[in-house]
Amino acid sequence: MPWTPNIVGFACQWCTYAGADLAGNLRCKYPPTIKLIKVPCSGTVEPEFILEALRRGADGVLVGGCHFGDCHYKEGNYKTSRRMMLLKKLIEDEGFDSRRFRLEWISGAEGMKFAEVVTEFTDQLTELGPNPVKEAVKA
Amino acid sequence: MADKVKVGILLAGGCAGCEMALVDLSERLVDALDALEIVFWAPTAADVKYKDLEAMPDDFIDVGFVDGMVRNSENKHTVEVLRKKSKVLIGYGACAGLGGIAAMGDLHTQEELFNTAYKDSWSTDNPDGVMPTPEYTLEGKYDLTIPSFTDRVYTVDELVDVDYFVGGCPPHHEHVMKAIELLLSGQLPAKGSWLTGGKAVCDVCKRNPAETGETRRPVGKVYRMIDGQPDPDKCLLQQGYICFGPITQGDCGSACLSANVPCRGCGGPLPGVKDYGARCLQTIASALADDASTEELMAKYPQLAKFVYRYSYTTGKIDRKTPAA
């Protein structure tokens, strides 16, 4: 069986998770590479979770939140934005390809967008190949 | 008199600062010597050789202290021997538990490190480009060896079981006395714990806005220490001087803050924090006002990983840049 990337997705329950739901209702086609974890708000996704996922061999991590101004908790996604900016830089500093990590704002009405993002991300990760950390952890 | 508690102290890949901290206990250490017998303290203070340690029966030492990280084959060997000879092993100082300053070397390849150390720095005079070789035959008959570099920095607990940790770079007297008191009283926490008060630096810091009754505001502008002189009474984080006090253990009594210097996290992570650097980002990002100030932070600290993992890179999650040797 050919290798396919394994994506861990953190989806805010108010927007991106609803968006994924809508993608299903609309019968959108996207590759079965993403495993979604529903979280109360993208602001609850700690940078530690993302590093842990990458460390344990996830080939990519997607964090999805509400568009600015739409956050159910008013400013959770603004915090997410700041944290993920810093995290991306940290991942690069550590000599890791930050393209394995992606932050997207997907609303509950954007089922199509969710499917497009997952498809695009999967293609990108397929090009990048398996997560190099996975091999190092095994050894 | 009852038997004294036998203590062994080993300097692995550290700078001997931790040993200095022990010596700094001065009279208090001398008093403690009524109850303690130092059977091993190498290579720093006592005239005991590694072979003497190897000759000791297993579990001969009651409490073994290791300070420093594991950076070469000698460190690895002596740490393993000390573990066998000790009933209780304590990782002493930031290096032993977190990797310490040397662990930042893991952000580079071994080649880069060696080139900087033996070729490129301005004070190096090495026209033949001689590099350390672990094995060398001198004049065709003497086989000489030096310890070889490990593929990366290891914390002591990655190689052997460690019973307790003490934080600090170097551990503050209070860290040390706390550990010694706990050991002598026998009221020890669960294995693998840090021997600490469990409070954050902010908890013991006099500048904490909660103490001074100020309202916390988002930080709009980021400063480095070279950019100016912070107000000596107000919270440094609030003034834009990035401080790791919120997630660092404060057994130091916020010593750096008292000297108007921000916390850099040598005390070790608060309980529950697994990845110190990642938690730093989270805390700092929450304190910053907007994306612009975040951009400013990244511009001012171009080596973000070295900034947030100054003492703890080995315990970071994806520290695998250096290919295995």
Side-chain angles (χ1 to χ4, degrees):
Chain A
M1 206 176 92
W3 173 84
T4 49
N6 193 5
I7 305 171
V8 174
F10 293 97
C12 128
Q13 65 173 338
W14 306 102
C15 292
T16 305
Y17 201 83
D21 216 16
L22 183 64
N25 283 339
L26 293 174
R27 304 281 189 272
C28 293
K29 286 223 178 347
Y30 61 93
T33 47
I34 191 161
K35 282 83 190 167
L36 269 193
I37 298 169
K38 183 155 88 169
V39 292
C41 173
S42 61
T44 60
V45 181
E46 299 181 11
E48 277 172 290
F49 299 171
I50 293 157
L51 292 180
E52 182 77 41
L54 291 173
R55 163 124 174 79
R56 293 201 187 185
D59 298 305
V61 175
L62 174 76
V63 176
C66 309
H67 289 275
F68 285 141
D70 288 351
C71 179
H72 188 80
Y73 308 99
K74 279 162 83 178
E75 51 183 31
N77 53 357
Y78 290 90
K79 281 191 177 165
T80 312
S81 161
R82 281 177 249 146
R83 284 181 187 150
M84 298 312 155
M85 272 165 82
L86 289 176
L87 182 69
K88 209 171 173 97
K89 177 80 167 36
L90 184 80
I91 290 176
E92 279 164 17
D93 280 1
E94 293 194 59
F96 199 80
D97 198 329
S98 67
R99 281 177 296 174
R100 292 188 185 278
F101 163 64
R102 191 162 173 158
L103 174 65
E104 288 287 342
W105 311 122
I106 301 169
S107 83
E110 292 174 324
M112 289 290 281
K113 182 173 176 188
F114 180 83
E116 278 162 18
V117 164
V118 174
T119 312
E120 202 186 296
F121 197 25
T122 305
D123 290 347
Q124 190 178 33
L125 290 171
T126 310
E127 218 166 276
L128 288 173
N131 181 351
V133 169
K134 192 155 47 178
E135 299 306 309
V137 171
K138 255 190 241 159
Chain B
M1 205 184 99
D3 275 356
K4 290 184 176 185
V5 176
K6 293 191 187 67
V7 176
I9 301 162
L10 171 72
L11 168 63
C15 65
C18 294
E19 325 250 314
M20 288 307 298
L22 276 177
V23 175
D24 276 349
L25 284 171
S26 56
E27 285 89 8
R28 288 211 272 178
L29 183 63
V30 174
D31 290 344
L33 284 177
D34 288 340
L36 303 177
E37 181 190 356
I38 293 172
V39 293
F40 179 80
W41 191 342
T44 336
D47 187 18
V48 192
K49 306 291 184 229
Y50 288 162
K51 65 175 167 42
D52 300 324
L53 179 68
E54 282 162 11
M56 288 174 193
D58 285 2
D59 286 348
F60 177 73
I61 297 170
D62 293 306
V63 186
F65 287 88
V66 184
D67 55 85
M69 78 309 293
V70 173
R71 179 71 272 194
N72 61 35
S73 53
E74 177 193 327
N75 303 150
K76 186 167 180 285
H77 173 70
T78 48
V79 163
E80 283 164 356
V81 173
L82 185 71
R83 172 67 269 189
K84 259 193 226 151
K85 309 297 174 190
S86 311
K87 285 182 195 147
V88 175
L89 188 70
I90 296 184
Y92 180 67
C95 288
L98 304 166
I101 295 284
M104 283 193 285
D106 281 354
L107 286 159
H108 301 271
T109 61
Q110 188 169 324
E111 197 187 356
E112 284 171 343
L113 294 179
F114 275 35
N115 282 343
T116 304
Y118 300 106
K119 271 189 194 161
D120 301 338
S121 61
W122 63 270
S123 59
T124 304
D125 182 20
N126 185 7
D128 302 330
V130 180
M131 289 288 191
T133 43
E135 280 160 20
Y136 181 70
T137 308
L138 182 69
E139 294 168 6
K141 49 185 172 175
Y142 304 107
D143 287 331
L144 304 179
T145 56
I146 55 167
S148 59
F149 222 48
T150 45
D151 56 338
R152 65 178 178 91
V153 168
Y154 293 87
T155 57
V156 175
D157 63 315
E158 282 183 283
L159 298 171
V160 297
D161 257 1
V162 178
D163 295 284
Y164 302 107
F165 294 100
V166 175
C169 178
H172 190 264
H173 324 305
E174 296 309 319
H175 277 99
V176 183
M177 279 320 285
K178 171 119 189 140
I180 290 179
E181 279 162 17
L182 277 168
L183 283 171
L184 293 179
S185 72
Q187 290 175 331
L188 287 162
K191 198 178 155 181
S193 311
W194 290 67
L195 297 178
T196 61
K199 283 189 172 175
V201 170
C202 292
D203 250 342
V204 295
C205 180
K206 290 189 199 73
R207 301 159 178 259
N208 189 340
E211 296 279 329
T212 53
E214 281 171 81
T215 318
R216 246 162 42 89
R217 298 173 319 275
V219 176
K221 187 140 177 59
V222 176
Y223 297 95
R224 289 184 69 146
M225 287 307 286
I226 46 167
D227 293 340
Q229 185 77 16
D231 185 320
D233 299 315
K234 290 203 175 120
C235 174
L236 285 179
L237 197 51
Q238 285 282 283
Q239 294 180 62
Y241 294 90
I242 304 302
C243 175
F244 299 161
I247 58 160
T248 305
Q249 308 212 38
D251 295 75
C252 54
S254 75
C256 292
L257 279 304
S258 311
N260 220 5
V261 173
C263 175
R264 285 292 173 260
C266 74
L270 278 180
V273 177
K274 279 189 183 148
D275 190 314
Y276 186 90
R279 191 62 75 92
C280 263
L281 295 187
Q282 189 184 338
T283 313
I284 294 165
S286 311
L288 293 171
D290 47 32
D291 285 4
S293 50
T294 314
E295 297 273 5
E296 194 186 3
L297 172 80
M298 291 197 288
K300 291 220 166 173
Y301 292 97
Q303 291 276 325
L304 194 65
K306 287 183 182 172
F307 180 48
V308 294
Y309 283 119
R310 184 172 294 183
Y311 296 98
S312 56
Y313 189 56
T314 301
T315 51
K317 290 294 182 209
I318 42 174
D319 58 340
R320 294 292 185 278
K321 185 179 176 185
T322 317

